[in-house]
Amino acid sequence: MENAKTSAAAPADSLPPLAYAGVALVACAVLLFDQVQCWNAKDDYLFGYLVPLFAAFVVRERWDKIRRVFTGTPDADDADDEFTLPARAAKPGARVPAWLNWLFGAGTLASALLFAAGAIGSAIYGFDAFTTYENTAGFVGLCFGLAWFAGARTLSGTRNDLRTRARLPLLLLFPICVWLISGPFTFLVDRQIKTLLLSNVTATVVAMLNFLGFDLTQEANTILLPGGDRVGVEDACSGVRSLTACLFTGSFLAAVFMRTLKKKIFFVAVSIVFALLLNVLRSGFLTVWSSFKGSEALELDFFGNAPDSPAFTLGTVHDVVGWGAMFVTLGLLAALVPLVNLKLEKTDEEMALDFVDDEE
């Protein structure tokens, strides 16, 4: 007997799961080739090389849950984890509406066409931000559609109900959507957000240090120091590298360690706040250092040695502080994981188990 009432089959329902996986892997290879060009463009994008590894890690970490979609042997924990639709959205055993199959079919077809347009555009015109947008958006939509149709039936041919079928796209949410951060997001930040970050970082640093007793003046993205010296808040100080790295790391940690959607969203939001806050503190430190040592001291090490000096240590003040701030931010995010997952109250079931243990 089937797990759910039979729903009207969409055209792609009868294909084996390996067929969908094969299409997804080919699309991933094409997207990877395109995004590698993006990652090679600037040092700010080098984190992209970690994307395939982290995506594969999450798939491996969730493999048992993914496998159970196709074996039809759900675990007791599957019923109420973050990858299962709530009962108010879909009751256990609910059939898949025919219109939902056709909606996913239309979306998958449209995404495949968009992906093909991006791939063909890259082949004809070369690497470009617009074709990367097309490739990545098409890939995301295509993979969600493939996941939806791949989970239509178990390997024995039994049709899955709505809740079980929706689990596969939700389980693959991070491995699919993380490519949006490593491709289009980098262009969006570089071309749209960077200017906003530069002006706001400069204004915040000037206001913060003037409050502490300094006498600074902002001139566009330049901070005027007493005595006529200047500190330019250049592109490297905009926080783009910290923002992209922290968003990527925060998304990965949320996908692996957070167990509810609210916690995942909260953790990603905190990662963005941490990146922006630590970048302001970094820029503030560099401005204070310049006010005492002179702006040219930023291109020396902490002991005043030039890069071509035999005594040069670690790196320039600017670079060491920049990388240090980013690693501190990533460390704070890692330390925040157990705090966000901290349970201040026990559930009724946990209280009952504790009572039984005490009685024994």
Side-chain angles (χ1 to χ4, degrees):
M1 181 176 292
E2 294 190 348
N3 292 335
K5 296 178 180 179
T6 303
S7 62
D13 267 4
S14 58
L15 297 178
L18 285 179
Y20 300 104
V23 174
L25 288 175
V26 170
C28 186
V30 174
L31 181 67
L32 181 60
F33 178 79
D34 179 79
Q35 291 206 2
V36 163
Q37 315 305 316
C38 170
W39 305 337
N40 287 334
K42 284 189 177 183
D43 290 343
D44 291 345
Y45 306 157
L46 289 178
F47 78 93
Y49 285 101
L50 295 174
V51 168
L53 299 178
F54 279 27
F57 177 87
V58 173
V59 171
R60 178 64 187 88
E61 193 263 342
R62 297 175 179 175
W63 184 251
D64 287 342
K65 292 179 178 290
I66 293 173
R67 180 175 53 82
R68 287 196 289 268
V69 172
F70 299 104
T71 59
T73 55
D75 188 81
D77 294 335
D78 292 347
D80 58 355
D81 66 12
E82 69 270 30
F83 308 111
T84 299
L85 294 177
R88 63 179 179 274
K91 296 181 180 180
R95 65 188 293 272
V96 178
W99 64 265
L100 194 55
N101 274 330
W102 287 102
L103 181 63
F104 267 96
T108 305
L109 177 60
S111 298
L113 293 175
L114 183 63
F115 178 78
I120 294 172
S122 296
I124 296 176
Y125 303 108
F127 169 69
D128 181 75
F130 184 74
T131 56
T132 297
Y133 286 142
E134 290 181 318
N135 276 337
T136 311
F139 172 82
V140 170
L142 174 63
C143 285
F144 273 123
L146 292 173
W148 172 259
F149 288 113
R153 299 174 183 271
T154 64
L155 295 177
S156 62
T158 302
R159 187 175 295 279
N160 283 320
D161 64 6
L162 178 57
R163 298 185 87 195
T164 304
R165 187 168 179 180
R167 283 182 61 80
L168 190 58
L170 292 175
L171 284 164
L172 297 176
L173 181 64
F174 175 83
I176 293 175
C177 290
V178 69
W179 297 92
L180 292 170
I181 301 176
S182 61
F185 183 77
T186 55
F187 286 116
L188 177 64
V189 169
D190 203 40
R191 299 187 178 188
Q192 303 295 330
I193 301 178
K194 181 180 287 186
T195 302
L196 180 64
L197 287 175
L198 282 171
S199 59
N200 281 278
V201 166
T202 307
T204 303
V205 169
V206 170
M208 178 180 66
L209 293 182
N210 283 344
F211 177 78
L212 295 176
F214 288 82
D215 184 17
L216 307 176
T217 304
Q218 179 182 356
E219 188 177 277
N221 294 328
T222 301
I223 299 175
L224 304 182
L225 304 175
D229 202 357
R230 294 167 173 261
V231 177
V233 182
E234 306 295 341
D235 286 356
C237 298
S238 64
V240 168
R241 182 178 299 174
S242 297
L243 180 61
T244 52
C246 289
L247 180 59
F248 172 64
T249 305
S251 300
F252 172 73
L253 293 175
V256 174
F257 297 107
M258 301 296 113
R259 292 294 172 250
T260 65
L261 180 60
K262 290 181 180 179
K263 287 185 177 181
K264 292 177 189 290
I265 295 174
F266 172 77
F267 196 84
V268 172
V270 168
S271 69
I272 296 175
V273 173
F274 274 16
L276 298 177
L277 179 60
L278 265 294
N279 186 61
V280 168
L281 295 178
R282 174 185 70 129
S283 299
F285 175 85
L286 294 176
T287 303
V288 172
W289 187 270
S290 299
S291 68
F292 288 103
K293 303 284 188 177
S295 59
E296 66 280 356
L298 297 180
E299 301 307 321
L300 307 175
D301 68 8
F302 279 93
F303 304 101
N305 301 308
D308 56 356
S309 170
F312 186 72
T313 307
L314 290 179
T316 65
V317 172
H318 182 276
D319 291 342
V320 171
V321 173
W323 283 104
M326 186 169 69
F327 284 121
V328 167
T329 307
L330 298 179
L332 289 174
L333 285 177
L336 187 64
V337 169
L339 183 62
V340 174
N341 279 329
L342 183 65
K343 295 178 66 175
L344 299 180
E345 295 182 358
K346 294 184 177 182
T347 63
D348 293 339
E349 291 79 4
E350 291 171 332
M351 293 288 288
L353 289 175
D354 289 344
F355 178 77
V356 171
D357 292 338
D358 291 340
E359 288 293 316
E360 293 177 352

